[in-house]
Amino acid sequence: MAELRNLVIVLGDQLDPDAAAFDGFQAGRDAVWMAEAAEESTHVWSSKPRTVMFLAAMRHFALTLGEAGRRLHYTRLDSRDAGDTLAAQLRHDVRRLQPVRLVITTPGDWRVLQAIKEVAATSELPLEVREDRHFYCSLPEFAAHANARKSLRMEYFYREQRRRHRVLMTDDANGIRPVGGRWNFDAENRKAFGPNGPGAVPRPVTFEPDPVTRDVIALVNSRFAGHPGRLEDFAWPVTRAQALHSLNAFIEERLPLFGRYQDAMWPGNPWLYHSHLSAALNLKLLNPREVVAAAEAAYEDGRAPLASVEGFVRQILGWREYVRGIYWTQMPEYLERNALGAREDLPAWYWTGATDMACLRDALTQTLTHGYANHIQRLMVTGLYALMLGVQPGQVHAWYLAVYVDAVEWVELPNTLGMSQYADDGVMGSKPYVATGKYIQRMSPYCRNCRYDPAQRIGDRACPFTTLYWDFLMRHEAALSKNPRMALQVRNAARLTGAERNAVRRRADAIRRGEAGVERHE
Ligand code: FAD
Ligand code: SF4
């Protein structure tokens, strides 16, 4: 048999036939390597929807590689000689296939990159790690941006990206300026629904599992039977064609109202005007440039208002690129950050949704059913509660990485540890996102059907968010008082009398001990 030159490693979140790892691929000399390793579903307690998302998309991608005539070595989770870890499988296959070189596009997970480097080193094989050009901003470009600044705020990075990639920019006699004369349309965006609710939101496109996906569902149900989440409603796009279909439907049907209702929540309605494209993007079924271009074109043709389009572009060209840069410039130390010294365990009901808090129950239930929650549910419901309860950031991170179909560490970790838990001491955000239950009351009708009252901070009906908010300010008073953006909140807490402070503390302790009835026993 002819010598195998390059063994091109393709991971579960690298399903792009145009990825850099394929550059120079020669059918007769090179081969692709893919493997389904149990460890990827067990190193955190990966939910069933998340595992199915990855495996179903991988198997469909493998079929397209076959159709394109690319030689492929693919190990299924249920094959007899499957290794438990990616590293074990790769080591085994390298010994068998004897390639001259390993080639990979930068993985989305620092841990996986280390494991592959280790296999290459112990097998005495050269490993070529190629830049992931799926992203607008390369890692060296982000590092240069970071090095030139004292603090790394998303807004400046985003403006730089807009200018550099000429997205929503006009160029006339007055120079290059943002379309509409402003960078930010928050004043028009981020509204709550009125009392009549979201009305007839277009239904998101769903995809009936085909035989390939059904096989994966059966496998995951038997192999990971005890893992969280359900699969009855699995309907995510797992091929590029399906992902494109989802993109087009979003642009036509939901983008016009995306901005206005970006931060709104509504019970029993997980989808609203969001795009639900994060998993397709993160698995590389979609390219961010085509997504941004489709949104920009909708604005130019008058199909969507500028405020919505800018709000959406900001998420992809701004936040998504920025968190990736944060991840790779801060790892591996970032994983260990715990700036607020949080020590509590994550409540067990995060894995079941069994709580009397209406907002959390809904966010957790839809998370476990669909592997999805919108950004505000992640940040201002599940994340906010964990932050104010004082849960160890590592446990919060493991939960977010496990439950969402779009969860890959490069994007999940900075959002969780940095933006949501403030464990990085302000690398990502200038202050912790903390609020009483009144924020949730303003953005949703959850509180109307909840046994708690967001206006009360003590007593049996006190909303746990509200109690924990005051407790958080008191516990971190010294550190937060140095932050000018928190000064007002800290001053308000300082006005509480000694008796009020003690009552808040006692109620917060009771919540932490699980004695305030927040856990629902069916
Ligand atoms: P939309 O609201 O329609 O937004 C459009 C797109 O913008 C998304 O598809 C996504 O690609 C991108 N985007 C929006 N916000 C962010 C952000 N903060 N960071 C990066 N990209 C963003 N996103 C993930 O893709 N994977 C994760 O594991 C993940 N974990 C998160 C954990 C926490 C604690 C928080 C607060 C946020 C997390 N996010 C994560 C970001 C965001 O919540 C999701 O991208 C979004 O909710 C996905 O739904 P959507 O596709 O409908 O997004
Ligand atoms: Fe959530 Fe508090 Fe409102 Fe209940 S009262 S829904 S716990 S914010």
Side-chain angles (χ1 to χ4, degrees), residues 477-489:
E477 199 167 349
L480 296 179
S481 57
K482 294 188 199 119
N483 183 335
R485 296 201 60 209
M486 291 300 291
L488 184 68
Q489 281 166 289

Side-chain angles (χ1 to χ4, degrees), residues 129-184:
V129 182
R130 296 185 182 164
E131 181 68 43
D132 191 348
R133 58 176 178 242
H134 166 91
F135 294 95
Y136 280 92
C137 183
S138 73
L139 296 176
E141 280 162 3
F142 189 89
H145 168 89
N147 287 338
R149 274 166 187 78
K150 266 212 241 108
S151 80
L152 261 177
R153 291 293 161 253
M154 198 296 284
E155 187 63 33
Y156 300 110
F157 171 76
Y158 167 63
R159 292 180 189 182
E160 202 175 281
Q161 294 299 298
R162 288 262 304 268
R163 274 193 212 97
R164 172 189 273 235
H165 299 286
R166 293 283 198 273
V167 174
L168 292 177
M169 301 296 291
T170 52
D171 192 354
D172 56 25
N174 298 321
I176 302 171
R177 289 171 301 123
V179 170
R182 276 149 62 192
W183 294 102
N184 190 314

